[in-house]
Amino acid sequence: MVNYRGSSLMRTSLTSKFLSRKQSPTAIALYIIFLFAFSIVIFLFNAGNIVEDKQNPIISHESHSQSQSQSQSQSQLLQVADEELWGAPSSHGLRPCVKPTSRYKAAQGSGHYLTVKSNGGLNQMRTGISDMVAVAHIMNATLVIPQLDKRSFWQDSSTFSDIFDELHFIKTLQGDVRIIRELPKELELVPRARKHFTSWSSMGYYKEMMQLWEDHQVIHVVKSDSRLANNDLPLDLQRLRCRALYHALHFSPPIQSLGKKLVDRLRMRSGRYIALHLRYEKDMLAFTGCTYGLTDAEAEELRIMRDNTKHWKIKEINSTEQRLGGFCPLTPKEVGIFLQAVGYPPSTLIYVASGEIYGGDARLLELMSHFPNLVFKEQLATEKELKAFAKHASQSAALDYIISIESDVFVPSYSGNMARAVEGHRRFLGHRKTITPDRKGLVRLFDELEGGQHREASSFSYLVRQIHKNRQGAPRKRKGPSPGIKGKARYRTEESFYENPYPECICSSKAV
Ligand SMILES: *[C@@H]1O[C@H](CO)[C@@H](O)[C@H](O)[C@H]1NC(C)=O
Ligand SMILES: *[C@@H]1O[C@H](CO)[C@@H](O)[C@H](O)[C@H]1NC(C)=O
């Protein structure tokens, strides 16, 4: 749902202005004082209450040993602060595990074909395609390379091979499912069974669907998103989903190569960086009815957009309640206050993965006043390099994806398909640090700050850090449905398989 046409010209001029400013000695002195004050806060914080993570008690050992070493000397103290900001949570020996069990067999499926229309944005398509690999395996069918969504909000004409490495996809899954580029000529005109498969279906559902083979040689799947349950599937099927998404579905060579270049350029700028998925686009705000911090005219513009978008069912939204419930994307300003409170210094390099920010540069300035070192891909890549990506939202999103996966820290300002996919992939790759803002808790603290209740910046920072202690991407099992919700609705409340493929695709070394 994101529109990736950014106001690149504005961004370039704005940021270069900030970037070109030399750091004055006063600024450096202030920075050192800030770091010092901050490490004291950390020291007090760690030496005091160490809150046990109930879901994941293994974490607390680490905190104990850290607080001991912190009391030794000040230089070490700074180091620990640095490690807390940039270090990945401990994986506790957990590793990716995607190998099939000894019972597993490839699907031969030579006579039956599955054609797929993959819907949604880049990450909805990626996870949907991985699910379709699993569905083809259950149904013993040959999978035809999926067609990508061209009509959706994204308006991207890219084909599968523009975005993904098709040959690699086919070859990697050779031992799982037969995949072919196109339906054989003689089958092009035979009537297909057109199916809207039920959302979050079980393996049993697809076994039943195999009855369709009695009358049809080809099944056409009209939508690929969320067609397969998150939980209660055989281990081999879950691992197949991981092989499909993480091993087989690589981006095409041009995307992969530019993505790597951009990561290298970021590393050259400062060694390490935060990737911020700043979900603050017009459609998102209109959809969620979030108007906090906007002008009346802007709020009205969003209301009209919501009214006019037929497939958005909910029209009346109380923005205040929405925000207090934690259902609004953080504003750029809130993101700035948040990251500062977590302890990132103003010089931190932040890569902004996003579409066009609603309210434009004026609103972005509210983040830049805290973190002047913001970069967009328009500043990292030359015009010539980006030319091939213009008007291809999904390819552009793929660059953001690569940069987000490779970042030292990933921070999504809102949940969504991209945030979930990146978080899950980072968990899979070794629990790279992902800080997931507790939006509900933060909004309460922001309002208290606004109301003058936190006169000490350190006490505010302490509270922010406290509620994010266990939201850093450390290992934990995928969450099941919310309690008390019955029937189909509970599937909606489960944590997505691709947001956290633990335990099926992440195991302790012993268990592999
Ligand atoms: C899968 O399909 C092949 C033919 O394409 C068939 O020989 C095999 O028995 C099928 N396997 C299952 C489990 O149905
Ligand atoms: C929205 O909700 C808030 C908090 O519950 C309430 O104070 C306010 O009056 C509501 N606004 C409207 C327009 O209903």
Side-chain angles (χ1 to χ4, degrees):
M1 293 221 300
V2 190
N3 189 331
Y4 269 84
R5 280 162 297 163
S7 56
S8 54
L9 268 180
M10 292 282 279
R11 283 174 185 177
T12 316
S13 62
L14 223 150
T15 320
S16 54
K17 208 162 69 200
F18 276 100
L19 288 177
S20 62
R21 210 173 52 187
K22 289 259 161 22
Q23 300 288 351
S24 71
T26 337
I28 291 168
L30 278 173
Y31 174 51
I32 291 170
I33 291 170
F34 171 79
L35 270 186
F36 180 68
F38 174 66
S39 30
I40 293 198
V41 172
I42 291 193
F43 170 71
L44 292 174
F45 174 65
N46 269 308
N49 260 2
I50 289 163
V51 178
E52 300 266 331
D53 182 349
K54 288 203 182 62
Q55 280 170 331
N56 194 19
I58 34 186
I59 302 304
S60 54
H61 305 305
E62 191 185 50
S63 317
H64 280 293
S65 59
Q66 276 181 7
S67 65
Q68 276 157 15
S69 62
Q70 268 167 13
S71 54
Q72 286 163 11
S73 76
Q74 203 217 310
S75 65
Q76 247 173 326
L77 211 121
L78 284 173
Q79 252 175 6
V80 175
D82 199 72
E83 175 60 21
E84 285 223 0
L85 291 176
W86 296 99
S90 170
S91 280
H92 299 283
L94 295 169
R95 291 200 308 211
C97 49
V98 296
K99 283 216 182 98
T101 67
S102 55
R103 300 182 298 277
Y104 183 75
K105 286 198 190 69
Q108 283 119 4
S110 49
H112 299 140
Y113 297 85
L114 211 58
T115 60
V116 174
K117 181 79 162 282
S118 206
N119 65 304
L122 176 72
N123 288 293
Q124 220 168 352
M125 293 196 288
R126 287 176 69 245
T127 51
I129 290 166
S130 304
D131 283 353
M132 288 304 133
V133 168
V135 168
H137 189 271
I138 303 172
M139 298 185 73
N140 195 18
T142 294
L143 178 68
V144 181
I145 288 287
Q147 283 180 290
L148 303 188
D149 195 338
K150 297 186 173 69
R151 286 174 316 154
S152 78
F153 189 86
W154 292 71
Q155 303 279 326
D156 187 331
S157 62
S158 307
T159 62
F160 188 94
S161 61
D162 289 331
I163 299 185
F164 304 109
D165 186 338
E166 198 170 83
L167 195 62
H168 178 83
F169 181 66
I170 294 173
K171 272 193 178 164
T172 306
L173 294 170
Q174 198 151 262
D176 298 293
V177 176
R178 199 165 80 99
I179 303 174
I180 55 172
R181 287 207 156 102
E182 281 170 353
L183 204 59
K185 279 266 175 308
E186 66 273 18
L187 291 176
E188 266 171 18
L189 294 176
V190 306
R192 306 181 193 181
R194 279 176 58 85
K195 290 301 292 178
H196 271 102
F197 287 136
T198 305
S199 306
W200 294 296
S201 287
S202 66
M203 168 134 148
Y205 171 88
Y206 287 105
K207 287 269 182 210
E208 252 172 58
M209 287 293 148
M210 286 177 79
Q211 288 176 3
L212 292 166
W213 296 136
E214 287 167 19
D215 299 316
H216 298 91
Q217 254 189 301
V218 185
I219 298 176
H220 179 67
V221 183
V222 180
K223 269 177 116 181
S224 66
D225 71 311
S226 311
R227 300 299 112 184
L228 193 58
N230 293 305
N231 298 309
D232 302 323
L233 294 174
L235 180 63
D236 271 326
L237 208 59
Q238 299 287 49
R239 291 202 174 160
L240 173 56
R241 292 168 108 177
C242 292
R243 287 200 294 282
L245 187 63
Y246 303 130
H247 289 183
L249 210 47
H250 284 178
F251 292 119
S252 65
I255 295 177
Q256 205 70 48
S257 134
L258 183 55
K260 184 177 179 308
K261 271 188 210 156
L262 300 189
V263 170
D264 289 346
R265 286 173 200 168
L266 277 162
R267 297 249 174 252
M268 264 155 53
R269 282 191 185 208
S270 94
R272 50 197 183 184
Y273 67 95
I274 295 177
L276 168 67
H277 187 221
L278 190 55
R279 199 72 170 85
Y280 204 74
E281 293 107 348
K282 184 175 175 185
D283 63 303
M284 186 73 220
L285 296 171
F287 175 70
T288 53
C290 293
T291 58
Y292 175 77
L294 301 182
T295 64
D296 288 348
E298 286 172 328
E300 181 60 12
E301 184 184 35
L302 295 181
R303 194 192 59 73
I304 291 169
M305 182 175 183
R306 185 166 64 249
D307 254 3
N308 292 342
T309 308
K310 269 205 208 104
H311 60 275
W312 293 349
K313 300 283 180 275
I314 302 170
K315 301 296 180 190
E316 292 300 321
I317 298 179
N318 181 327
S319 171
T320 310
E321 283 178 4
Q322 190 78 343
R323 178 170 175 272
L324 292 176
F327 305 117
C328 290
L330 295 180
T331 67
K333 180 181 175 182
E334 287 172 335
V335 170
I337 299 173
F338 168 59
L339 291 178
Q340 189 174 43
V342 172
Y344 289 98
S347 60
T348 304
L349 180 63
I350 301 180
Y351 176 81
V352 183
S354 98
E356 195 170 344
I357 302 300
Y358 190 58
D361 291 335
R363 204 144 280 132
L364 216 45
L365 268 174
E366 297 174 339
L367 169 56
M368 279 190 146
S369 66
H370 297 275
F371 295 97
N373 264 331
L374 288 190
V375 268
F376 297 82
K377 65 173 94 45
E378 288 82 358
Q379 288 131 15
L380 287 177
T382 63
E383 245 173 75
K384 197 168 152 228
E385 284 169 328
L386 284 184
K387 205 169 165 205
F389 293 80
K391 303 213 176 92
H392 291 290
S394 293
Q395 296 186 37
S396 184
L399 291 176
D400 281 343
Y401 187 89
I402 294 172
I403 297 171
S404 299
I405 290 296
E406 293 306 324
S407 65
D408 298 274
V409 180
F410 175 64
V411 181
S413 69
Y414 191 64
S415 59
N417 293 303
M418 159 103 169
R420 281 193 286 270
V422 171
E423 176 178 342
H425 202 163
R426 290 174 67 89
R427 287 178 178 281
F428 179 77
L429 290 171
H431 296 96
R432 298 179 178 178
K433 195 185 194 86
T434 296
I435 306 180
T436 308
D438 172 356
R439 293 189 304 275
K440 193 172 171 183
L442 277 175
V443 160
R444 208 181 55 234
L445 290 175
F446 291 147
D447 288 348
E448 288 172 9
L449 186 70
E450 193 105 309
Q453 283 180 53
H454 299 282
R455 250 158 282 142
E456 308 283 328
S458 60
S459 80
F460 177 72
S461 169
Y462 173 81
L463 292 169
V464 169
R465 293 168 51 79
Q466 192 73 358
I467 60 173
H468 290 90
K469 233 173 129 51
N470 298 326
R471 303 176 72 96
Q472 316 254 334
R476 61 167 176 76
K477 286 193 177 148
R478 191 165 63 255
K479 291 181 202 146
S482 304
I485 297 179
K486 295 250 161 62
K488 280 259 158 202
R490 75 196 163 92
Y491 294 121
R492 218 171 267 280
T493 68
E494 288 174 346
E495 188 171 19
S496 143
F497 175 76
Y498 297 107
E499 179 174 359
N500 186 1
Y502 183 33
E504 294 91 339
C505 303
I506 300 174
C507 315
S508 68
S509 329
K510 281 173 247 144
V512 178

